[in-house]
Amino acid sequence: MSDTMVEARGVTKAYGALQVLKGLDLEVRKGEVTCLIGPSGSGKSTFLRCINHLEQHDSGVLRVDGELVGYELRNHKLYERSAKQICQQRANIGMVFQRFNLFQHLNVLENITIGQEKVKGTNEAAAQQRARELLARVGLESKEKSYPVQLSGGQQQRVAIARALAMEPKLMLFDEPTSALDPELVGEVLDVMRDLARSGMTMIVVTHEMGFAREVANSVYFLDQGVIEESGEPEQVLGDPRSPRLRSFLSKVL
């Protein structure tokens, strides 16, 4: 069994004439936290969306836990998986977005149980028990009857994390999960993510929180204009960068 959770080799993605990803190579091992940093428009979020096939990559190889993402190999040719197969793959990958994407017409408990019941076929009682356990984990056990509009941004994001965890994913993707929050609410979300990292969850995090990346990440990749400009351990990438472009970037965000 390989200890690699995510493998990208030569992954490209374009929107018309705009080449967003220009041949990304990246590897994430099971149980590790990888942070993607870089300026807006560098391809970080696009790459994250390719990992769970919300976007189709154009070329290259992309695998999660040994399986090709969105495609299967038959007779030496790649064929796109069926919608049902893609949904099954995606159910193993939790994703937390910048904007919480909660169902506004459902309360907190219902937001966390609906995926378990509709996708995984979990019965209502078991789904609610799992939801309550996760709400306790993210410090929101008293909010199960609240609706998203009644919660702060930080609370909504913690519910979104609990909802993703309810599907028991093997991989968690975070797309700038604190960028839409007021500064005083950032810490409560990062605390939940730190707890996840300590528990051994494999995570890929697009973030501008350099302190978090330095503290929690096993590896950091700096993307610029669709390429990986520099990568390595946090102390090296953030503390002693080799790339002039990365040094310039860090001078503006640290």
Side-chain angles (χ1 to χ4, degrees):
M1 293 290 288
S2 170
D3 64 351
T4 298
M5 179 61 77
V6 178
E7 178 190 14
R9 295 286 178 260
V11 171
T12 68
K13 175 66 181 177
Y15 298 100
L18 178 63
Q19 192 75 28
V20 180
L21 302 177
K22 303 173 183 176
L24 263 59
D25 294 331
L26 176 148
E27 184 175 329
V28 179
R29 295 184 179 276
K30 293 175 182 176
E32 292 192 343
V33 178
T34 294
C35 285
L36 308 182
I37 65 171
S40 297
S42 58
K44 306 181 302 298
S45 295
T46 298
F47 178 63
L48 218 60
R49 292 172 66 85
C50 286
I51 291 173
N52 67 357
H53 210 59
L54 289 175
E55 299 282 357
Q56 292 177 285
H57 60 288
D58 297 327
S59 64
V61 173
L62 187 54
R63 289 188 175 92
V64 172
D65 203 13
E67 284 193 356
L68 289 170
V69 173
Y71 298 90
E72 56 186 343
L73 192 61
R74 298 198 303 266
N75 299 322
H76 309 290
K77 287 188 176 182
L78 284 177
Y79 295 89
E80 188 167 15
R81 294 178 187 269
S82 68
K84 182 178 180 180
Q85 288 174 318
I86 290 170
C87 283
Q88 288 172 340
Q89 276 195 321
R90 202 175 282 149
N92 292 316
I93 304 171
M95 187 157 183
V96 178
F97 300 86
Q98 296 179 40
R99 297 286 177 177
F100 328 115
N101 287 12
L102 298 177
F103 298 112
Q104 297 297 311
H105 65 292
L106 300 180
N107 66 32
V108 165
L109 193 70
E110 292 164 340
N111 261 282
I112 300 173
T113 58
I114 188 170
Q116 298 180 72
E117 295 175 19
K118 299 286 188 182
V119 178
K120 297 189 73 176
T122 308
N123 67 58
E124 183 180 6
Q128 289 185 354
Q129 180 179 343
R130 175 69 175 153
R132 291 187 173 108
E133 290 169 355
L134 290 167
L135 283 173
R137 183 172 182 178
V138 301
L140 291 173
E141 54 265 58
S142 65
K143 299 292 186 180
E144 67 172 60
K145 297 299 184 185
S146 299
Y147 285 82
V149 71
Q150 298 171 305
L151 304 177
S152 70
Q155 289 171 331
Q156 289 188 63
Q157 194 63 294
R158 284 186 280 159
V159 172
I161 294 172
R163 180 178 63 179
L165 291 174
M167 303 299 289
E168 299 181 322
K170 60 179 72 172
L171 170 68
M172 284 286 288
L173 309 176
F174 293 86
D175 188 6
E176 297 189 35
T178 60
S179 65
L181 301 179
D182 292 333
E184 65 268 23
L185 302 177
V186 168
E188 63 190 51
V189 174
L190 293 181
D191 283 345
V192 172
M193 294 170 65
R194 288 186 185 96
D195 176 66
L196 270 183
R198 285 191 293 267
S199 75
M201 174 62 73
T202 310
M203 299 160 58
I204 303 179
V205 184
V206 172
T207 185
H208 292 295
E209 301 290 338
M210 298 302 146
F212 174 83
R214 186 188 291 268
E215 175 191 352
V216 175
N218 298 97
S219 58
V220 175
Y221 287 77
F222 171 63
L223 277 68
D224 186 42
Q225 297 184 33
V227 301
I228 295 170
E229 181 78 13
E230 189 165 339
S231 64
E233 295 181 357
E235 285 303 316
Q236 184 268 306
V237 173
L238 301 177
D240 187 24
R242 294 185 295 266
S243 160
R245 180 68 186 93
L246 175 54
R247 288 198 293 270
S248 172
F249 173 77
L250 290 175
S251 72
K252 295 177 175 65
V253 300
L254 289 178

